[in-house]
Amino acid sequence: MRAQFNAFSKQIPLLYFILTSNSLAASYTFARFAPAWLSIYAPVMLSALCFLRAVWWLRARSRQFSDAEVLRHMRMTTVLAAALTLAFTTWGLLLYPYGDPYAQGQVVFYMALTVIGCVFCLMHLRPAALLVTLMANIPFILYFFFEGHASLRAMAVNLLLVSAAMVMILLVYSRDFERLVASQAETRRLSEDNFRIANCDSLTELANRRWFFTELDATLGVAKADGKGFAVGIIDLDGFKPVNDTYGHATGDRVLVEAARRLRAVCGGHASDQVTLARLGGDEFGFIYTGNPNATALDALNAAIQSALRQPFAIGASHALLGASIGVACYPSSSRDAEGLFERADYALYQVKRRQRGQMLVFSAEHEGEINAHRTLEHALQNADLDAELSLAFQPIIDVASGETTAFEALARWTHPTLGAVGPDAFIPAAERTGMIRQVTKTLLTKALAALKTWPEPLRLSFNLSAHDLSDAETAVQIIALINRSGVNPRRLDFEITETAIANDARQARAAAVTFKAMGVGISLDDFGTGYSSLSHVHKLPLDKLKIDRSFVTDIEHNGASLKIVKSLIALCADMGLTCIVEGVETEGQLRTLRALGCRAAQGYYYARPMSGDAVSAWLQPDAADNRAGARI
Ligand code: C2E
Ligand code: CA
Ligand code: CA
């Protein structure tokens, strides 16, 4: 109906033009014959009415009408069309008897032409067009038919036939128009559906990642124009992965749906519509906060999100406890473009997940400095001569009872021509970010295996693998090939892996570990106690050794909790048949405490700092071992 309204409203002013110009032409002719009230005043008044309506329609072009108004105006137009038809037809018929034959001919011409013109303009308003056709033509046809003159009768019959044809054309046209409009509406509905599907996350029914970035661009445009700030946030659910791994994807999905529902409730309720929310994928959600992104506002938003997500999630008969780590970047302080904002929010998220899970971190100038340092490092690494610049340091792992060195852990070192010595804590993550880690691992492992080959049996080598080294089958195959080619006995080798490797892709990491294990390589779980410290990881992996992180040793003499943790871990290892290595032993006091707890293997500055490959053979001299044993006991 709206489509009809739009179509005919454009033609109505033209209709009034046809009507008034035809009528005034007839009026001009009849001014000589008929009384003034009929030939002048009546048509002028009717034309004035038409003029006012025409002006109204011209003005209406720029207005938006509601559905109810459209309906009302269409009804009104039909009524008015009937009334005006009646008025002008009556006028024409009243005028007719006054004229001479020429003037009478003009009336016939006037009536026929006006009706056809007006019906043509009312094509889209079927009831009005039909009414005009019938109301104007029937009296006209009857009048002339019974007037008696043969040529008038012929005209009446002619008009009857033409009217019938016009009615048919009208009916066919309006049916086609309705079909066209219906098919346009269907197309629009389909494209709206497509739009919704393309921008909606089907699981949580939140907006999806694609929508999020479109919205981010739009928000940025508005903010730039208005000179206002806003914030972009990424929410990552803490503790979701274990739920997904333990209870399966169906349960994981239910948890996500519930988390999305709570987030929607929080964001919907937060200062009306200042927060828009989307699911970015996995257990990651994004938000755009269009209020003033000051510390108070962001803290309040954080508190609301945290308290919503910290409520237990029901899983069958039990409950899961989740939290949220949130990274935020603000326009314009963090970045001035959409990509930069999202990257920086992601960087803040990465930092908060590493250091203070369950909190919100807003990207700062300090982070910008870190990113620049990362870029420098990544660039240098990409252009490095890995074989020449990478080397290894070795730190002994000691049998606490005998003081004997049972193995060396290989620790990566990078000496860059201009940057100097770069620690592995900095360049290993850089290699992971740039995708160079596989190359770095291969270079280091080749060097480590070459060193091991020169060492006396049964001395072992412990080598650190990155989570990325375990994340695809091909890398595992390449590592195996390297070991085979080196000619060393794989049974003298241990791979140290961290829980992050398992958290990323448990199945693939396990598969890789099983493959290494099958060729005789031992598997150690590194830094235990710092990450997830999940017993299910200990259980699922084919482990031989567990390394207790040095953070527990640092304060073991003064912190009862650390002492108890180390004590239970040592007991756990004994129960599970794992060798337990305590890292980071720096003082005699620590060693004494550990010994009392039943610790059998240790590593740390107390025994030795990581040493160069050349220093290893000196370290292994029997007299050197005696000196060390003497010094320690
Ligand atoms: P990690 O595997 O926990 O290695 C032990 C780190 O603790 C080494 O730092 C070592 O120098 C240090 N350390 C040993 N004893 C003591 C002690 O008594 N006190 C203190 N404060 N520190 C001690 P480093 O060499 O800087 O390595 C840092 C981390 O970099 C390693 O931690 C490991 O995660 C990673 N990394 C080192 N080499 C490699 C490698 O070849 N590949 C991979 N993927 N990662 C490596
Ligand atoms: Ca290690
Ligand atoms: Ca470690």
Side-chain angles (χ1 to χ4, degrees), residues 91-110:
W91 177 69
L93 292 176
L94 286 177
L95 213 53
Y96 182 80
Y98 290 101
D100 63 7
Y102 283 115
Q104 287 184 333
Q106 190 183 352
V107 173
V108 177
F109 173 78
Y110 158 73

Side-chain angles (χ1 to χ4, degrees), residues 496 526-527 547 549 583:
E496 298 193 6
D526 203 359
D527 303 342
K547 298 185 79 172
D549 191 73
E583 296 185 310

